[in-house]
Amino acid sequence: MKIKIGKLNINYICCGEGKPLVIIHGWGCNIGVYDALIKHLSKNHTVYALDLPGFGESDEPESPWSVSDYADFMCEFLTKLGIDNPILFGHSFGGRVIIKLLTCGYPVSAEKVILTGSAGILRKKTAGKKLRAAIVRVAKRFFESKIIKKLLPTAAEKLKRRYGSPDYVNSTPVMRGTLVKTVNEDLTPLLENMTAETLLIWGANDTETPLADGRLMEKLMKNAGLAVIHNAGHYAFLEQRVQFTNILNVFLK
């Protein structure tokens, strides 16, 4: 289904019956990644899942968005569909949006929250990473100067592709700007304002958002519990599907 939010056409699905549950996906994902999860949850809930702006079949923003822009968008999405006090499920980037949505004065409440491999904590860079980033910044400025652009028109793009993360390399210019804006915002100070009952589910082998992030969230949030799934990484709901859904069943009763 499609819905117009502002100027953007947004792709979403709605299925099942019961209390509303909204799934907000991770960076680079879309509704399809969560098919099995949606099928399971829709047995007892009315499940809404959407492609965020810039992902899947939804329109891309006209300019790079921040986490606050995505929270604004989600607030409007929930309001337009009349979704009140839902259970919010966020994976990775989706968790980042939920944290902002529930802690920054938006007229949104959540009966319960489920965060898996949630982003939002800005980790300190190692000395090696700092040096690498500094070198890339200097090289980028050099290759994007007018004279060098004329002599080597593709050099800057090759630099980005060689040293950028896969998420960055595979994104459009607008979504690259969005990625830079969002990953550099530290939401740690907001965690103490999370009051909804929150289940944190983490893959023990997660390298994208390490288990240490989950432990810190559990410590700082007022009403959170952490479930660790072994032999799983950033996509625990795919890698250990049965164990993941069993944990969900207990939490959602």
Side-chain angles (χ1 to χ4, degrees), residues 155-174:
E157 183 62 26
K158 287 180 179 178
L159 179 75
K160 293 173 185 176
R161 292 190 173 279
R162 180 171 181 179
Y163 292 104
S165 68
D167 284 339
Y168 184 87
V169 169
N170 296 326
S171 296
T172 64
V174 166

Side-chain angles (χ1 to χ4, degrees), residues 7-117:
K7 297 180 179 180
L8 304 177
N9 292 305
I10 301 300
N11 182 50
Y12 79 101
I13 59 172
C14 175
C15 57
E17 292 183 359
K19 294 180 180 179
L21 188 154
V22 180
I23 295 177
I24 307 178
H25 64 74
W27 187 274
C29 297
N30 56 52
I31 294 171
V33 175
Y34 306 87
D35 278 347
L37 192 61
I38 292 168
K39 184 177 180 180
H40 175 77
L41 291 170
S42 63
K43 293 175 184 177
N44 297 296
H45 298 84
T46 301
V47 177
Y48 298 84
L50 69 155
D51 290 334
L52 291 171
F55 301 96
E57 296 179 29
S58 291
D59 289 347
E60 187 176 277
E62 293 180 354
S63 59
W65 273 17
S66 65
V67 184
S68 293
D69 290 322
Y70 277 100
D72 292 343
F73 161 82
M74 280 306 306
C75 184
E76 189 171 350
F77 176 85
L78 295 172
T79 301
K80 197 158 188 176
L81 287 177
I83 303 171
D84 183 48
N85 199 40
I87 297 164
L88 293 177
F89 178 103
H91 169 229
S92 193
F93 178 73
R96 192 189 288 275
V97 176
I98 289 173
I99 292 169
K100 176 75 77 164
L101 186 65
L102 294 180
T103 61
C104 291
Y106 290 94
V108 174
S109 61
E111 180 178 328
K112 291 185 175 183
V113 175
I114 302 157
L115 302 179
T116 181

Side-chain angles (χ1 to χ4, degrees), residues 101-215:
L101 186 65
L102 294 180
T103 61
C104 291
Y106 290 94
V108 174
S109 61
E111 180 178 328
K112 291 185 175 183
V113 175
I114 302 157
L115 302 179
T116 181
S118 178
I121 292 175
L122 187 63
R123 295 182 297 277
K124 291 182 179 179
K125 292 181 180 179
T126 63
K129 286 184 177 179
K130 287 181 181 179
L131 178 61
R132 178 189 175 102
I135 292 172
V136 170
R137 280 197 301 272
V138 172
K140 184 180 175 181
R141 284 198 295 269
F142 173 75
F143 287 122
E144 288 184 344
S145 64
K146 291 182 179 180
I147 295 176
I148 300 301
K149 265 189 173 182
K150 288 182 179 180
L151 295 174
L152 302 169
T154 62
E157 183 62 26
K158 287 180 179 178
L159 179 75
K160 293 173 185 176
R161 292 190 173 279
R162 180 171 181 179
Y163 292 104
S165 68
D167 284 339
Y168 184 87
V169 169
N170 296 326
S171 296
T172 64
V174 166
M175 296 311 292
R176 285 180 182 178
T178 297
L179 181 63
V180 171
K181 274 189 171 186
T182 55
V183 300
N184 287 313
E185 182 175 356
D186 187 9
L187 303 185
T188 306
L190 302 180
L191 297 179
E192 64 179 15
N193 299 322
M194 283 283 290
T195 57
E197 184 180 0
T198 302
L199 170 64
L200 304 166
I201 310 180
W202 237 266
N205 304 325
D206 194 334
T207 56
E208 297 296 319
T209 52
L211 179 55
D213 289 5
R215 296 197 189 282

